[in-house]
Amino acid sequence: MAEVLGDRLPDELVRVLDDETLISQEQPAFLLVTTDDSGAPRICMVSAGELLVRDERTLRVALWPGTRTAHNLGRGGTALLGAVSPGSVIYIRAEPTRLTVPETVTLECFELAVTNVQADVHAGMPVTSGITFRTDEPDHATTVADWRRQRELLTNAQRRQQR
């Protein structure tokens, strides 16, 4: 059974999303769940390079333009970010707001205001591994530089004015 942790990001997740994480070729992957126009859940895998911790109650995410996930986040409603790591599974519920980025940027960016955080830990049946991926590109440094640019974009993006 999931334990409610409150409405703040756990320190362990903040550490996992630290800038130093980007250096490794082995990266944690996160599951971002939204709902489509008919209410069906849709899952998207995002990397640490696409996420930025703004503060203990705010995440930001950069997505490829025109994706179902970007469309779903743009409609509003609750999103769920799942972080699976050895020993626990963290579920973060959040309310998305579209961010304004320069027109030359080919990403859609959103702020996720954390509303609820839960941890799923089972005594006697621990999670033994997380969801990870590996960058096999010959020039991993280029990927890291791209992620850092995305995070800088997320840092500087402005919240879109409500109409």
Side-chain angles (χ1 to χ4, degrees):
M1 176 151 62
E3 172 189 352
V4 176
L5 300 180
D7 62 357
R8 307 216 182 300
L9 296 170
D11 290 341
E12 66 190 70
L13 181 64
V14 172
R15 277 191 301 278
V16 167
L17 291 172
D18 185 272
D19 214 37
E20 292 303 310
T21 300
L22 303 181
I23 297 168
S24 174
Q25 283 189 267
E26 295 279 329
Q27 291 285 321
F30 304 88
L31 300 177
L32 180 57
V33 182
T34 60
T35 54
D36 66 17
D37 294 327
S38 66
R42 299 290 178 180
I43 299 174
C44 169
M45 190 167 67
V46 293
S47 69
E50 296 162 304
L51 292 166
L52 173 78
V53 174
R54 187 87 163 143
D55 58 46
E56 63 185 5
R57 296 206 53 222
T58 313
L59 286 165
R60 288 187 167 187
V61 61
L63 302 169
W64 290 108
T67 62
R68 279 190 209 164
T69 301
H71 173 78
N72 294 341
L73 288 175
R75 285 187 5 265
T78 301
L80 177 72
L81 184 72
V84 180
S85 61
S88 74
V89 179
I90 305 280
Y91 307 111
I92 300 154
R93 284 185 176 76
E95 300 298 323
T97 302
R98 186 178 294 276
L99 296 170
T100 302
V101 296
E103 289 182 22
T104 56
V105 173
T106 57
L107 294 169
E108 292 188 62
C109 299
F110 297 87
E111 187 167 273
L112 303 175
V114 176
T115 59
N116 181 275
V117 179
Q118 297 181 356
D120 209 351
V121 180
H122 297 279
M125 294 176 46
V127 174
T128 59
S129 68
I131 302 171
T132 59
F133 68 92
R134 183 181 66 242
T135 56
D136 285 335
E137 295 179 19
D139 186 11
H140 178 68
T142 299
T143 301
V144 172
D146 289 344
W147 282 336
R148 287 200 167 124
R149 276 192 296 279
Q150 284 181 184
R151 284 184 163 195
E152 184 177 344
L153 171 73
L154 288 169
T155 298
N156 295 325
Q158 300 297 310
R159 290 178 55 102
R160 186 172 276 184
Q161 297 297 321
Q162 300 295 327
R163 295 179 187 187

